[in-house]
Amino acid sequence: MPSISYKGKSKKHRLLPLSHRIDTLTIYQKKKKSQKKIQAEKTAVKAARKCILDNICKSIVTAQKNNNGKTPHHFIHTIVSSHTTVCPWVTRHVINKALEKYKAHVIPTLEDRNVDTVALVETGDQRTRTILHPNIHRKKGGRPNGATDEAKRHNSMCIIAAKNEIAVKYSEQREI
């Protein structure tokens, strides 16, 4: 490396070593990766992550089937702790989001959907048709319709009854 020489005391006139000047020039002159290569690398990474998450989701679903539809205690925690060294991006939140997507895309069997099958016979062929029960298929939560209005009406009637009772007792005491 050549020696550093200074023309003056100010930093503007200071000469930098030759190797440093070459490095700064090559930073700007380096060729950038083509967009196709970058996109191919990104898709490969996404495909690898999707494969890993699909395998994790399959193991969770099989564990749920073996445990009456519930995830065993600390099951996801053990998966996360076993994958942290290889895949540090695997977290509980990532697994839960992937599990939602996996369950939405996997076609459930007829027993999982609570449906009835009806056999129709036409010219020797047996065709099956599934009929969804709207009450079983749609699980609606919350209060029943009109429950809030009914509760308000009941409260107002109780207030009126209490006021009437107070008025009757007051009028009885006044007469005495």
Side-chain angles (χ1 to χ4, degrees):
M1 175 158 73
S3 64
I4 300 173
S5 64
Y6 298 102
K7 284 187 174 181
K9 292 182 179 179
S10 67
K11 292 182 182 179
K12 290 182 182 178
H13 301 291
R14 189 179 293 175
L15 293 176
L16 297 175
L18 185 61
S19 63
H20 181 70
R21 283 191 284 178
I22 291 173
D23 289 342
T24 56
L25 292 177
T26 56
I27 290 172
Y28 299 112
Q29 294 174 350
K30 285 184 180 177
K31 292 184 179 179
K32 295 182 179 179
K33 286 186 179 179
S34 67
Q35 291 294 336
K36 291 180 182 178
K37 286 183 180 179
I38 292 172
Q39 192 64 29
E41 289 175 1
K42 286 182 179 180
T43 55
V45 168
K46 285 182 182 179
R49 286 185 177 193
K50 187 176 184 333
C51 180
I52 291 169
L53 288 174
D54 283 344
N55 288 334
I56 290 172
C57 291
K58 284 179 188 176
S59 64
I60 291 172
V61 168
T62 55
Q64 285 176 346
K65 285 183 181 178
N66 294 337
N67 197 22
N68 296 328
K70 295 182 180 180
T71 307
H73 187 66
H74 280 297
F75 189 74
I76 293 178
H77 175 73
T78 55
I79 289 174
V80 170
S81 61
S82 66
H83 283 80
T84 51
T85 56
V86 179
C87 305
W89 53 269
V90 173
T91 61
R92 178 178 57 91
H93 300 291
V94 172
I95 291 174
N96 287 337
K97 183 70 174 179
L99 192 61
E100 287 177 10
K101 288 181 180 180
Y102 182 79
K103 285 183 177 180
H105 290 291
V106 172
I107 300 170
T109 60
L110 292 176
E111 295 122 18
D112 293 341
R113 291 194 303 176
N114 294 328
V115 297
D116 291 337
T117 58
V118 177
L120 300 173
V121 179
E122 288 183 6
T123 64
D125 295 338
Q126 184 177 8
R127 294 183 180 179
T128 59
R129 178 177 67 175
T130 59
I131 300 172
L132 296 175
H133 290 292
N135 296 336
I136 295 172
H137 181 57
R138 181 174 180 232
K139 295 180 180 177
K140 185 179 175 186
R143 294 187 179 129
N145 291 336
T148 305
D149 294 333
E150 186 178 336
K152 286 179 185 177
R153 191 179 65 75
H154 178 71
N155 286 340
S156 65
M157 295 301 285
C158 288
I159 290 171
I160 292 171
K163 286 179 181 178
N164 288 338
E165 188 176 341
I166 291 170
V168 168
K169 285 185 180 181
Y170 181 72
S171 63
E172 287 176 358
Q173 283 182 355
R174 201 168 184 207
E175 290 177 3
I176 298 179

